[in-house]
Amino acid sequence: MSENINIAPEQAAPEKRKRIFSGVQPSGILTLGNYLGAIKNWVALQNDYDCLYCVVDLHAITVRQVPTDLRRRTLEGLALYVACGIDPEKSIMFVQSHVPSHAELAWVLGCYTGFGELSRMTQFKDKSQKHSDNINAGLFTYPVLMAADILLYQADLVPVGLDQKQHIEITRDVAQRFNGIYGDVFTIPEPYIPKTGMKINSLTDPTKKMSKSDPNPASFVAIIESRDETIRKIKRAVTDSDAVVRYAEGKDGINNLMTIYSSFTGKSFDEIEKEFDGKGYGDFKAAVGEVCADGLENVRAEYARIIKDKAYLEGIMKDGAEKALYLSKKTLSKVYKKVGFYAK
Ligand code: ATP
Ligand code: LTN
């Protein structure tokens, strides 16, 4: 993998502001993985780009959800975006189901996406295994809806964790195919993947991605859990028995904790190895727990304050949906015209 598919912090702010789109599913309580892999970067990007950040509830129902939980988590997801530092004055925040263009464009794009290419998606394979009792068509066409999200807004960049790279690639393929037939309709988006934090692994099985829908809460750090809980979970994280803090193959647990430590402190793996030279895992885990709890402290305090103000959050949602609808309709009407739909 070249350095440059990862973020290029050296990328200067462009003349005409470029567009960014990203989203998180309200499928559970947001984790440290979501924060370091995605949302932390969204905040950094909003000064230099025009950003749209979405709570992707349509995607969440590809896995069975309890309706009251989904509704509550949608509001909580938006509150977390704000608590993490997304500024409603700078960025558009909205809920995917509030803008019908997403489902509309997804239908059209589905007719330009191959069964074969969807079958190759690793997320589909993983989730079909996890939910073998409910392998639905939505789970299969999930990437088409994601392509619609991105292409509707002519996004140039999509800040996501590494697990989503394949979905950006299929989005590019579908966009190029469509453009090849009808001319330049869609901007071809690039992934924007952080150098550290691109993949935070589970605390209980460090060979797997940390995931908010993991039924075992010990496997993840939730962005909004208590300081003590975070420190306790990290203390209990699964590691090897080698007792040397070193980044190396086969040391998935320690590699993961080093990645987390590095993401919060900005220290390189070499520096971390030196810092903990001669010290045991106990000391290292305590330090990781502390930096993690410190790094999330402000977000947690902001969240506790904002979540109480439902009217404020609903205002952001409503305003965001109006703006997003306006922008999305420009692309959707162009697409409808290009494919030959009769104008109203
Ligand atoms: P689910 O468990 O419901 O599949 P998830 O926790 O994997 O959810 P998503 O909503 O699928 O989260 O992802 C939202 C964003 O967070 C994406 O950009 C994704 O790449 C990023 N992300 C999710 N988990 C991680 C992780 N463990 N490490 C880095 N980035 C992550
Ligand atoms: N599939 C993504 C969530 C998502 C997304 C998007 C991310 C849906 N639509 C558009 C970026 C851009 C995931 O993280 N699982």
Side-chain angles (χ1 to χ4, degrees):
M1 197 185 306
S2 89
E3 279 270 300
N4 269 344
I5 71 120
N6 301 332
I7 33 173
E10 49 286 345
Q11 211 161 19
E15 296 271 297
K16 180 181 174 298
R17 276 157 72 96
K18 289 195 174 179
R19 188 72 66 73
I20 281 188
F21 185 96
S22 198
V24 176
Q25 303 179 72
S27 49
I29 181 160
L30 270 60
T31 71
L32 186 63
N34 300 131
Y35 182 68
L36 296 178
I39 305 177
K40 192 166 167 246
N41 296 307
W42 300 1
V43 178
L45 291 164
Q46 65 181 343
N47 290 325
D48 295 331
Y49 297 87
D50 287 334
C51 303
L52 293 112
Y53 297 127
C54 188
V55 179
V56 290
D57 54 350
L58 298 178
H59 277 107
I61 63 160
T62 54
V63 166
R64 213 55 90 221
Q65 303 289 339
V66 176
T68 47
D69 288 349
L70 181 63
R71 199 168 292 121
R72 178 178 39 80
R73 287 201 206 109
T74 300
L75 188 77
E76 289 172 354
L78 191 102
L80 256 181
Y81 289 3
V82 180
C84 287
I86 311 290
D87 180 349
E89 300 292 321
K90 292 184 186 156
S91 303
I92 299 175
M93 281 176 272
F94 70 104
V95 176
Q96 191 184 28
S97 64
H98 294 179
V99 180
S101 317
H102 292 248
E104 291 168 318
L105 183 62
W107 174 257
V108 177
L109 294 180
C111 302
Y112 297 81
T113 309
F115 182 88
E117 53 190 346
L118 288 175
S119 314
R120 287 192 288 275
M121 295 292 113
T122 25
Q123 183 178 293
F124 172 67
K125 291 187 216 162
D126 288 351
K127 296 227 165 164
S128 323
Q129 247 175 17
K130 268 193 213 151
H131 306 277
S132 53
D133 54 333
N134 180 24
I135 307 177
N136 61 73
L139 196 60
F140 187 66
T141 58
Y142 181 112
V144 179
L145 178 60
M146 180 158 161
D149 295 341
I150 297 166
L151 300 178
L152 262 182
Y153 301 99
Q154 309 290 351
D156 300 280
L157 281 183
V158 186
V160 283
L162 188 61
D163 63 303
Q164 294 301 310
K165 187 168 168 258
Q166 200 185 26
H167 286 164
I168 314 290
E169 277 158 11
I170 195 175
T171 300
R172 290 167 57 89
D173 291 344
V174 172
Q176 270 155 353
R177 185 172 307 142
F178 197 92
N179 285 356
I181 305 171
Y182 302 105
D184 273 347
V185 178
F186 297 124
T187 301
I188 309 298
E190 301 272 350
Y192 194 94
I193 299 171
K195 276 192 183 127
T196 38
M198 61 165 95
K199 188 167 181 250
I200 302 298
N201 284 340
S202 156
L203 299 178
T204 48
D205 178 356
T207 60
K208 293 210 186 99
K209 189 184 82 139
M210 181 182 284
S211 167
K212 67 172 120 63
S213 58
D214 194 314
N216 180 4
S219 71
F220 57 77
V221 168
I223 304 182
I224 52 162
E225 67 194 17
S226 73
R227 179 179 190 91
D228 288 353
E229 235 174 315
T230 300
I231 292 174
R232 200 172 340 113
K233 282 183 185 177
I234 293 192
K235 199 184 269 175
R236 293 199 186 138
V238 170
T239 44
D240 54 76
S241 53
D242 168 40
V244 182
V245 178
R246 185 165 46 92
Y247 197 97
E249 200 165 334
K251 288 171 70 73
D252 300 298
I254 287 297
N255 295 349
N256 191 37
L257 295 181
M258 286 178 75
T259 304
I260 296 172
Y261 194 70
S262 165
S263 303
F264 281 112
T265 59
K267 291 179 186 165
S268 68
F269 293 150
D270 273 353
E271 287 169 323
I272 300 171
E273 287 174 10
K274 285 203 189 92
E275 186 178 346
F276 292 94
D277 188 25
K279 293 187 183 155
Y281 285 174
D283 287 340
F284 178 53
K285 285 177 166 179
V288 177
E290 290 288 334
V291 294
C292 195
D294 287 348
L296 293 171
E297 197 170 272
N298 286 344
V299 173
R300 288 171 176 171
E302 263 305 277
Y303 179 82
R305 195 178 63 80
I306 292 167
I307 194 64
K308 293 187 199 127
D309 199 345
K310 199 169 167 191
Y312 171 65
L313 294 170
E314 286 182 347
I316 294 177
M317 245 184 220
K318 188 163 175 278
D319 185 51
E322 265 167 33
K323 290 180 180 149
L325 183 66
Y326 173 79
L327 293 172
S328 70
K329 277 195 164 165
K330 286 193 192 174
T331 302
L332 192 66
S333 50
K334 198 164 172 187
V335 167
Y336 276 16
K337 203 166 171 182
K338 291 284 186 186
V339 299
F341 291 164
Y342 205 95
K344 283 201 272 202

